Amino acid sequence: MLFHQRAKMQGHELVEGYTGRFVHGEAITVAHWDVVAGNRIPSHAHHHEQIVNCLEGTFDMTVGEETFRMTAGDTVIVPPDVEHSALAVTDCRCLDVFTPVRDDYRL
Amino acid sequence: MLFHQRAKMQGHELVEGYTGRFVHGEAITVAHWDVVAGNRIPSHAHHHEQIVNCLEGTFDMTVGEETFRMTAGDTVIVPPDVEHSALAVTDCRCLDVFTPVRDDYRL
């Protein structure tokens, strides 16, 4: 299926305050996140390259030892196997991209 | 460089009415597009997988023989080597994702 309409996609709250809608291509997964202020993603790592895009709100991304304060239109690259964590400073919308596909997000 | 702030990124009008800001990881390119209503992307194809995300506005994506009318939050997958074209029905913001990296977008 090529066309994925938000209105028809179910959200999944994978971490408290982080509700995602996921689209999987052959080699890319896109995750559309709605995030509630004050909630954190604990530090973790994975073999996928990840690119985080802040669409709305203020979102702190920590990659390795550095923390980046993101606002709308900002992008952070998370290289493969690098520890990262996050904090929603305000309510946010974020769009994450992964390669290869996140099979654990096939829900 | 991991952190890319929109305010510090230069836009490039690659096609009339399509101004992009590009971020390149190891295997992923993200393109943030600001699009002026009425402008088209002519039909073309490339070996990269592409995932198109409409963030704002109304955007018609044609993939092969099918046209999808996208609004905010909608996603269209363009498989590798499949002809596709687009029309901005209104002013739009779109976020495209590609793998492998779009070396032609290193500007």
Side-chain angles (χ1 to χ4, degrees):
Chain A
M1 190 172 69
L2 302 182
F3 187 30
H4 299 262
Q5 291 179 279
R6 181 183 169 90
K8 297 182 180 172
M9 294 169 69
Q10 190 186 345
H12 300 272
E13 189 175 4
L14 294 195
V15 172
E16 187 180 348
Y18 288 76
T19 300
R21 289 170 173 79
F22 307 102
V23 174
H24 307 283
E26 293 177 16
I28 300 169
T29 291
V30 172
H32 297 257
W33 295 105
D34 293 288
V35 188
V36 178
N39 286 289
R40 292 178 186 275
I41 300 279
S43 188
H44 66 291
H46 41 66
H47 69 283
H48 315 75
E49 181 175 30
Q50 177 176 355
I51 298 187
V52 181
N53 302 278
C54 178
L55 304 182
E56 196 176 293
T58 301
F59 194 69
D60 282 356
M61 271 298 301
T62 300
V63 182
E65 301 298 316
E66 278 191 287
T67 297
F68 308 110
R69 175 147 294 187
M70 308 176 75
T71 57
D74 293 347
T75 296
V76 166
I77 298 173
V78 181
D81 300 313
V82 174
E83 289 275 336
H84 53 288
S85 60
L87 167 65
V89 179
T90 68
D91 287 353
C92 292
R93 286 187 311 118
C94 296
L95 193 156
D96 278 346
V97 186
F98 302 90
T99 191
V101 160
R102 288 288 301 249
D103 284 318
D104 52 332
Y105 287 173
R106 294 190 190 276
L107 304 170
Chain B
M1 190 171 70
L2 302 182
F3 187 30
H4 299 263
Q5 289 179 279
R6 181 183 169 91
K8 297 181 179 172
M9 294 169 69
Q10 192 186 344
H12 300 272
E13 189 174 5
L14 295 195
V15 173
E16 187 180 348
Y18 288 77
T19 299
R21 290 169 172 79
F22 307 103
V23 174
H24 307 283
E26 293 176 15
I28 300 169
T29 291
V30 171
H32 298 256
W33 295 105
D34 292 288
V35 188
V36 178
N39 287 289
R40 291 179 187 276
I41 300 279
S43 189
H44 67 291
H46 41 66
H47 70 284
H48 314 75
E49 180 174 32
Q50 177 176 355
I51 298 186
V52 181
N53 303 278
C54 179
L55 305 182
E56 197 176 292
T58 301
F59 193 69
D60 281 356
M61 272 297 301
T62 300
V63 182
E65 302 297 315
E66 279 192 286
T67 297
F68 307 110
R69 175 146 292 187
M70 307 177 74
T71 58
D74 292 348
T75 296
V76 166
I77 298 172
V78 181
D81 300 313
V82 174
E83 290 275 337
H84 54 288
S85 60
L87 167 66
V89 179
T90 68
D91 287 353
C92 293
R93 286 187 311 118
C94 296
L95 193 157
D96 278 346
V97 186
F98 303 90
T99 191
V101 161
R102 287 289 300 250
D103 284 319
D104 53 331
Y105 286 173
R106 294 189 190 277
L107 304 171

